[in-house]
Amino acid sequence: MPELPEVETITRDLKKCLVGWKIAGVWSDWPRYFRLSGGLEKTRKNLIGRKVISIQRLGKNILFQLSGGYVLAVHLKMTGRFIFTPRGVEGLGSAKESSHIHLIFDIKKGGKKSKLNFSDVRKFGRVIFGKSDEVMARPEIGGLGPDPLEISATDFLGRISKRRGKIKTVLLNQNFLAGVGNIYSDEALYLSKIHPLSRTEKIPKERLKELFLNLVKVLKKSLKLRGTTRQDYRDLKGQKGDYFAHRLVYARKGEECPRQIGGQACGGVISTVKIGSRTSHFCSGCQKVYK
DNA sequence: GTCGATGTTATCAA
DNA sequence: TTTGATAACATCGA
């Protein structure tokens, strides 16, 4: 589910409405979320009473910076989503939706009370809580690569020159770059005419540079459209993202390639191949395999 | 009813 | 070191 544009959208919205609120309580019927934080009870004890100082995205994680030098890092994984509406869950009007809420933060500010709900159909979500330096020292957080929107093409080329193996796998590796997932790696490879099975070390430098520029381009475009909703993704208020209608190859298996080459249609067909258990989408005609 | 797929990642074995 | 399979879990559609 959420990749960089989706998580960034949620983070920005959370920042607007949650900074300054205090955590007043934590409820969960799925303690497994806290397996990396010493369990629900321990987390609750240290978390309650802390104020949200700021919120930022780190890769696909949402980091809540809390008073006292603590950090709460939430990963949405496949189906996690935060729900914060003026009327709470009731505002969404769906009983089915509320049955998927497995984590609730009670929050307060001044005299006001509210709830930040975490809905997560498949319960893959994950919470890491602790003192800032402890959290940042964890491999899941501290081991993350740089953000594609914050490095230069030169940085990217320097990093990728040390990598080998299938380009698709490299792009999905969060320790290489943080925030890129299945959708945008497919889109960027398509834009760059690089086949996802290409060996990274065999791709010419200028093609890799192109790949980076296209990756940044597609991430920014999706961010403007508030992300991609195929099935599950929703923002804080339950709205879908609009990039799906603009996608080029992702989830378009069997369709004709949208590319025009010199006024002519490419003529290829969008196909798929499994790479590392993920479905990759590519055009059979215009994406070259470097091997 | 069964099978395969879904935007993620950790883990284990070859 | 790299890879592939599997597991974590629920739902949807063929």
Side-chain angles (χ1 to χ4, degrees), chain A residues 93-139:
Chain A
S94 159
K96 196 174 173 194
E97 178 60 48
S98 49
S99 77
H100 294 135
I101 291 176
H102 298 292
L103 174 59
I104 302 176
F105 297 100
D106 295 299
I107 53 177
K108 63 178 184 187
K109 183 160 110 172
K112 288 183 293 183
K113 287 185 179 176
S114 190
K115 290 175 193 295
L116 177 64
N117 301 285
F118 183 70
S119 162
D120 184 15
V121 170
R122 293 175 69 179
K123 299 191 276 196
F124 287 175
R126 174 237 281 165
V127 175
I128 298 179
F129 171 75
K131 284 197 184 283
S132 179
D133 50 354
E134 292 167 2
V135 173
M136 299 315 289
R138 297 205 57 100

Side-chain angles (χ1 to χ4, degrees), chain A residues 21-245:
Chain A
W21 288 72
K22 241 180 198 178
I23 313 278
V26 186
W27 170 90
S28 178
D29 64 354
W30 194 247
R32 205 180 144 71
Y33 286 143
F34 299 88
R35 66 191 181 281
L36 299 180
S37 310
L40 173 59
E41 288 314 313
K42 187 183 167 200
T43 302
R44 179 185 283 129
K45 208 164 64 182
N46 283 305
L47 183 54
I48 288 178
R50 302 204 178 275
K51 188 192 260 189
V52 179
I53 306 293
S54 67
I55 306 175
Q56 65 205 120
R57 176 182 61 79
L58 193 67
K60 299 173 190 170
N61 295 268
I62 299 170
L63 265 55
F64 298 80
Q65 305 286 347
L66 305 172
S67 54
Y70 279 76
V71 173
L72 181 79
V74 178
H75 197 304
L76 308 171
K77 292 286 184 85
M78 291 284 268
T79 54
R81 85 166 170 107
F82 278 112
I83 303 170
F84 187 77
T85 63
R87 294 176 53 212
V89 189
E90 295 77 15
L92 293 167
S94 159
K96 196 174 173 194
E97 178 60 48
S98 49
S99 77
H100 294 135
I101 291 176
H102 298 292
L103 174 59
I104 302 176
F105 297 100
D106 295 299
I107 53 177
K108 63 178 184 187
K109 183 160 110 172
K112 288 183 293 183
K113 287 185 179 176
S114 190
K115 290 175 193 295
L116 177 64
N117 301 285
F118 183 70
S119 162
D120 184 15
V121 170
R122 293 175 69 179
K123 299 191 276 196
F124 287 175
R126 174 237 281 165
V127 175
I128 298 179
F129 171 75
K131 284 197 184 283
S132 179
D133 50 354
E134 292 167 2
V135 173
M136 299 315 289
R138 297 205 57 100
E140 298 88 344
I141 302 293
L144 290 171
D147 197 281
L149 298 186
E150 289 182 0
I151 60 171
S152 66
T154 312
D155 292 339
F156 177 83
L157 289 174
R159 288 181 70 80
I160 205 161
S161 66
K162 301 186 185 68
R163 299 279 171 163
R164 1 179 340 126
K166 302 183 189 79
I167 183 65
K168 169 80 176 186
T169 307
V170 171
L171 289 176
L172 291 183
N173 184 341
Q174 300 300 295
N175 300 120
F176 170 64
L177 272 190
V180 180
N182 206 29
I183 299 178
Y184 303 108
S185 53
D186 280 359
E187 297 285 275
L189 286 168
Y190 169 76
L191 282 168
S192 314
K193 302 184 189 172
I194 299 171
H195 193 289
L197 287 172
S198 297
R199 307 288 305 182
T200 305
E201 67 276 17
K202 303 288 186 188
I203 305 173
K205 267 252 161 64
E206 67 271 15
R207 297 277 76 227
L208 288 172
K209 183 174 179 189
E210 198 64 21
L211 173 60
F212 174 72
L213 297 176
N214 282 323
L215 181 61
V216 170
K217 193 155 98 181
V218 72
L219 290 172
K220 284 185 173 169
K221 176 169 182 178
S222 178
L223 189 50
K224 264 196 189 148
L225 295 166
R226 298 182 61 83
T228 300
T229 297
R230 183 184 191 175
Q231 296 160 326
D232 300 311
Y233 171 74
R234 295 291 187 282
D235 69 12
L236 261 195
K237 297 199 170 65
Q239 302 294 306
K240 298 179 179 183
D242 293 326
Y243 183 82
F244 195 67

